[in-house]
Amino acid sequence: MRYTLLLAASAGLALAAPHAKTKRDSSFVWFGTSESGAEFGSEDIPGVLGTDYIWPDTTTIQTLIDAGMNIFRIPFLMERLVPDTLTSSPDATYLADLKSTVEYITDAGAHAIIDPHNYGRYYGDIITSTTDFAAFWTTVASEFTTNENVIFDTNNEFNTEDQTLVLDLNQAAINAIRATGATSQYIFVEGNSWSGAWTWTEYNTNMVNLTDPNDKLVYEMHQYLDSDGSGTSDVCVSTTIGEERVETATEWLQANGKLGFLGEFAGGANSVCDSAITGMLDYLENNSDVWLGASWWSAGPWWGDYIFSMEPPSGTGYVYYIDILSAYFPGGSGGSTTTSTAPSSGSTTTATTKTTTAATKTTSTASTSTATAAHYGQCGGIGWTGPTICAAGYTCEVENAYYSQCL
């Protein structure tokens, strides 16, 4: 998604949700959302935790896991993780917070996508050194070599770079990740032109040449349904625009024996976007030989009344779409956490053999009113059913009628 972000506005009144789709078995391996916050305040580097950026709220992540989501994309800034150069040592505190968020998700049986949300840039400059980019990925991947529920997302939305450079940076990331011993995890590769599905075959056909010795590559594409595909408007072009915008990418995946994941999508809380989104997801499911799933943009504790907010309990997207989207959660009925075994990317034949296996659901004690909210966690607001008492040393402070936070 193309955006410049500081802090989201305070929440407004939630919209009434339409009727949910009929529950049925979903053929997706993964379905979830991004969890924004750690990439916020990109004009203030490194920034101050709680002022310029925030980490996702594990209590609301648990709410989404309980609803049936099983994959969460964690955007963060490379400059905050390695503040000096791409080859420098990581900031210990920022890395620890990233690992804590990832481990909460994976300990619950879901998958966590590690997403350097940098658009192929570092401090605003296009990354041109594949050696430096590989060094960054060596630093990151080395922290997660034994966590099989981690997925590495090479970089968010390359754009306006030389196309050969985009290919080479992706390959450098793949090579570096595998060299750390992280050989069982999936790697999501992103393309140029904001990794858009609708422009994939115009810009990214050379991505077919990427290689992975462990054959676990997935092509991550993004797709919004407003007039310019930027995801900055809640107005969708038509009720059929979703399916139309992913058709050529689907054909490319099938023709080349590749696998895809729709890493970002969203639409406004209205009937036109509802039809466009369900039409697109139905189409992806009908082509689940190559599409493994999708993740909404975006949840996160600071979105306020953002038009697509998937943050429980009152985010605009959450209120309007959670029941609609639940029909596409693996298993189709929501209410349980699943882990999934996706196929290798070697051919569309193996793609049809993917299986989904149930895992034991981890229930968070933070979902009960007697639990304690952590620092920066939500502790109150209209419709809030989670903890209202903060950890020792912190006070529950009202941010607006819908959100109070431990500060």
Side-chain angles (χ1 to χ4, degrees):
M1 179 182 184
R2 287 169 265 180
Y3 76 116
T4 300
L5 183 60
L6 294 176
L7 295 182
S10 60
L13 292 176
L15 298 176
H19 65 277
K21 284 199 67 174
T22 302
K23 303 295 186 185
R24 76 285 188 273
D25 289 339
S26 171
S27 57
F28 286 143
V29 173
W30 297 305
F31 203 102
T33 185
S34 290
E35 285 283 349
S36 285
E39 86 284 20
F40 276 21
S42 58
E43 295 180 2
D44 297 298
I45 303 296
V48 177
L49 177 62
T51 299
D52 301 304
Y53 69 95
I54 193 71
W55 290 96
D57 184 344
T58 56
T59 301
T60 55
I61 290 175
Q62 187 64 49
T63 297
L64 296 171
I65 290 174
D66 290 343
M69 288 188 179
N70 69 345
I71 194 166
F72 298 88
R73 187 166 174 255
I74 313 301
F76 67 94
L77 287 185
M78 299 169 74
E79 296 87 349
R80 288 191 176 125
L81 186 65
V82 287
D84 298 324
T85 68
L86 285 173
T87 61
S88 64
S89 298
D91 178 87
T93 300
Y94 196 77
L95 175 61
D97 288 341
L98 172 63
K99 291 179 68 175
S100 177
T101 302
V102 168
E103 288 166 6
Y104 183 90
I105 292 166
T106 59
D107 285 351
H111 280 75
I113 305 171
I114 296 175
D115 164 35
H117 212 76
N118 276 67
Y119 307 91
R121 289 156 169 80
Y122 183 70
Y123 284 107
D125 296 325
I126 291 174
I127 300 168
T128 58
S129 171
T130 55
T131 302
D132 289 356
F133 195 58
F136 166 81
W137 268 112
T138 297
T139 297
V140 176
S142 295
E143 301 292 334
F144 301 100
T145 56
T146 61
N147 191 334
E148 294 188 355
N149 277 13
V150 161
I151 295 170
F152 302 109
D153 179 345
T154 54
N155 219 258
N156 179 69
E157 294 186 349
F158 295 96
N159 62 90
T160 69
E161 288 97 336
D162 175 79
Q163 185 59 34
T164 299
L165 176 62
V166 172
L167 175 71
D168 291 345
L169 288 172
N170 272 291
Q171 189 63 62
I174 295 165
N175 295 345
I177 291 166
R178 295 309 186 209
T180 67
T183 57
S184 63
Q185 296 88 343
Y186 288 90
I187 299 175
F188 285 7
V189 293
E190 295 200 38
N192 217 340
S193 187
W194 314 94
S195 213
W198 66 330
T199 58
W200 189 267
T201 57
E202 182 178 352
Y203 294 96
N204 293 303
T205 54
N206 72 337
M207 296 276 282
V208 73
N209 296 315
L210 291 173
T211 60
D212 173 21
N214 299 98
D215 199 23
K216 302 191 80 160
L217 287 188
V218 177
Y219 289 77
E220 181 185 323
M221 304 181 197
H222 300 170
Q223 192 58 63
Y224 294 95
L225 309 180
D226 46 356
S227 60
D228 62 358
S230 65
T232 56
S233 170
D234 62 356
V235 177
C236 294
V237 172
S238 71
T239 59
T240 59
I241 192 64
E243 177 178 344
E244 292 165 8
R245 285 188 173 172
V246 298
E247 285 178 337
T248 57
T250 302
E251 293 167 359
W252 183 87
L253 291 169
Q254 290 171 332
N256 291 288
K258 304 300 182 183
L259 298 173
F261 180 80
L262 197 65
E264 289 186 16
F265 76 98
N270 57 70
S271 61
V272 173
C273 289
D274 176 355
S275 295
I277 286 172
T278 55
M280 179 174 68
L281 294 176
D282 286 345
Y283 177 82
L284 296 182
E285 275 205 318
N286 288 337
N287 291 277
S288 62
D289 58 325
V290 292
W291 287 106
L292 302 184
S295 64
W296 181 273
W297 180 269
S298 173
W302 277 1
W303 279 122
D305 60 0
Y306 172 53
I307 55 176
F308 302 143
S309 174
M310 188 53 64
E311 185 76 352
S314 57
T316 301
Y318 177 81
V319 171
Y320 191 92
Y321 277 106
I322 188 63
D323 288 339
I324 296 170
L325 297 179
S326 67
Y328 301 95
F329 296 169
S333 59
S336 63
T337 301
T338 61
T339 57
S340 306
T341 302
S344 65
S345 57
S347 68
T348 54
T349 300
T350 58
T352 61
T353 65
K354 65 179 180 289
T355 60
T356 301
T357 58
T360 301
K361 180 171 71 175
T362 300
T363 302
S364 170
T365 57
S367 64
T368 69
S369 60
T370 59
T372 300
H375 190 200
Y376 300 118
Q378 185 171 358
C379 55
I382 295 174
W384 175 245
T385 59
T388 57
I389 299 172
C390 296
Y394 303 107
T395 303
C396 187
E397 297 187 8
V398 176
E399 302 295 320
N400 55 62
Y402 292 88
Y403 187 76
S404 297
Q405 185 178 27
C406 290
L407 298 172

